[in-house]
Amino acid sequence: MSFTRTPAGLSNQHRFHRVDAVVFVEGGDISYSFNDVVNGYSGTASPDIAFWRKIFDRFAGNLRVVIKPVGSKSTLRQLAAQVATKEINHIFVAMDQDEDRFTGQLVNANGVFYTWGYSWENDVLQKDVIVEVILTLTPVDRMELEQRVQEVCARELAAFQKEVAPFTRVDILFKIRHGALFPSNEYKSLIKSANQHNRPPQLNVSKLKRMLHQKKPWSRRQRPFRLPPSTSVRADRDTFGHLYCTYCYRLLLHICSTYAAVPVMALVNAAALAARVFADSMSVTTMGELHTHYVRQFAFIHE
């Protein structure tokens, strides 16, 4: 498909799809360049679609949109720049915040949407959402199980967040200097799976300490690493999304296998279910900061 040939032609893509706007998101098996997108190319499947569809359905009113994954965040940033300068219309960009709020790379413009946390997984995987997903999956009556699941989730998530918090802060500091602590491809090894003694998954602290030690010679050649005193880093919000998601998924599997005979659910299916629960349950009272974040981003649509 190549019905657009110039950046301005992007503004007409919504007509082809008979919608009000086209939303470009991350994800998919292929990363498309800006020129690819200009020429009409994009993916068709991505977990990001499920999340942003729920967000737009929840906050965009009657606005009709089609959502297309393009894989590359650098491409989304180029698109966002043109949305901000109004070089293109009827185009929205929705992406993970990653570390952008710490590195000053956020594009503050109508039509450019960011997750509240590092990634959509960080937004979705709130304690109450995880509990509801577990209770939805289990065949046990929720009156018998809910309190126990609430207690286990609260305890284990709090322990994980406490352990990962200092490493999350260091990861952000490295990323400000164009590095990283959490590996982008080996993050699964940083979470110890539940073992035969029925212990829940845990952060592999010893491995992270070794990784940090290996980076010390490099860090000494730089100026001291510091974040402004007022900078708030939260483990649930700012931890590398894939790492946080891996922990929460393994915790979900652990609780399901411990308290109810539930078959293993694929991560992609669990994430889609969590996204639905998240969007349906989000309110000012249950998720104040998150709810306010999305209300503000979508306010211009309702003006």
Side-chain angles (χ1 to χ4, degrees):
M1 185 186 301
S2 57
F3 54 85
T4 56
R5 292 295 181 185
T6 66
L10 282 170
S11 299
N12 291 317
Q13 281 202 22
H14 73 290
R15 298 181 184 275
F16 178 84
H17 296 285
R18 297 181 181 180
V19 295
D20 299 311
V22 177
V23 184
F24 290 106
V25 301
E26 296 175 79
D29 296 329
I30 300 174
S31 287
Y32 294 90
S33 69
F34 179 79
N35 287 334
D36 289 333
V37 176
V38 165
N39 284 303
Y41 295 100
S42 63
T44 56
S46 165
D48 296 69
I49 294 177
F51 171 78
W52 286 110
R53 171 55 64 191
K54 288 296 182 183
I55 292 296
F56 272 83
D57 287 349
R58 176 74 171 77
F59 293 98
N62 295 324
L63 192 77
R64 297 171 304 157
V65 300
V66 62
I67 303 177
K68 296 183 174 186
V70 300
S72 169
K73 186 167 182 178
S74 63
T75 296
L76 291 180
R77 283 180 171 144
Q78 293 178 71
L79 288 166
Q82 294 208 351
V83 170
T85 57
K86 301 186 185 303
E87 293 178 65
I88 51 179
N89 301 298
H90 301 284
I91 296 294
F92 293 155
V93 175
M95 53 188 158
D96 291 343
Q97 189 172 133
D98 298 329
E99 65 282 351
D100 290 356
R101 72 188 180 97
F102 298 104
T103 59
Q105 291 183 287
L106 291 176
V107 178
N108 185 18
N110 290 341
V112 179
F113 302 90
Y114 288 95
T115 55
W116 175 74
Y118 185 100
S119 70
W120 66 264
E121 291 96 332
N122 297 69
D123 285 11
V124 164
L125 294 171
Q126 307 294 312
K127 176 182 70 67
D128 289 343
V129 171
I130 298 172
V131 169
E132 185 59 33
V133 170
I134 292 170
L135 295 175
T136 300
L137 293 173
T138 56
V140 179
D141 183 76
R142 67 186 299 139
M143 291 297 292
E144 296 293 324
L145 193 61
E146 187 166 5
Q147 182 176 351
R148 184 177 298 175
V149 172
Q150 286 274 8
E151 291 172 352
V152 173
C153 267
R155 182 182 69 244
E156 298 305 328
L157 275 175
F160 173 74
Q161 291 169 8
K162 182 178 180 179
E163 281 196 320
V164 81
F167 297 106
T168 294
R169 190 174 182 88
V170 171
D171 184 54
I172 291 169
L173 288 167
F174 274 115
K175 284 176 177 175
I176 290 173
R177 297 299 184 85
H178 308 291
L181 173 62
F182 300 136
S184 59
N185 297 321
E186 300 177 12
Y187 55 87
K188 292 181 180 179
S189 67
L190 297 178
I191 304 297
K192 297 178 181 178
S193 297
N195 59 29
Q196 64 270 25
H197 299 294
N198 211 28
R199 292 174 182 168
Q202 291 181 312
L203 184 69
N204 194 334
V205 174
S206 59
K207 183 170 183 176
L208 274 168
K209 286 182 176 179
R210 290 195 300 272
M211 291 168 58
L212 183 58
H213 180 76
Q214 292 170 358
K215 289 180 178 291
K216 279 186 176 180
W218 177 83
S219 64
R220 290 195 191 104
R221 293 195 292 269
Q222 312 296 318
R223 289 178 297 169
F225 281 10
R226 292 189 180 91
L227 288 174
S230 60
T231 302
S232 174
V233 177
R234 286 177 45 172
D236 60 335
R237 180 179 183 180
D238 301 311
T239 297
F240 175 49
H242 289 313
L243 177 65
Y244 196 79
C245 182
T246 297
Y247 174 80
C248 291
Y249 174 62
R250 291 182 182 175
L251 178 62
L252 181 149
L253 295 181
H254 164 71
I255 294 175
C256 285
S257 65
T258 302
Y259 299 106
V262 178
V264 173
M265 189 181 201
L267 173 58
V268 65
N269 300 116
L273 176 56
R276 188 185 74 189
V277 171
F278 167 78
D280 291 345
S281 64
M282 190 191 298
S283 68
V284 175
T285 54
T286 58
M287 300 179 189
E289 291 177 285
L290 265 163
H291 186 270
T292 300
H293 170 78
Y294 287 106
V295 167
R296 286 175 176 169
Q297 290 193 108
F298 282 85
F300 77 96
I301 293 175
H302 306 286
E303 293 176 351

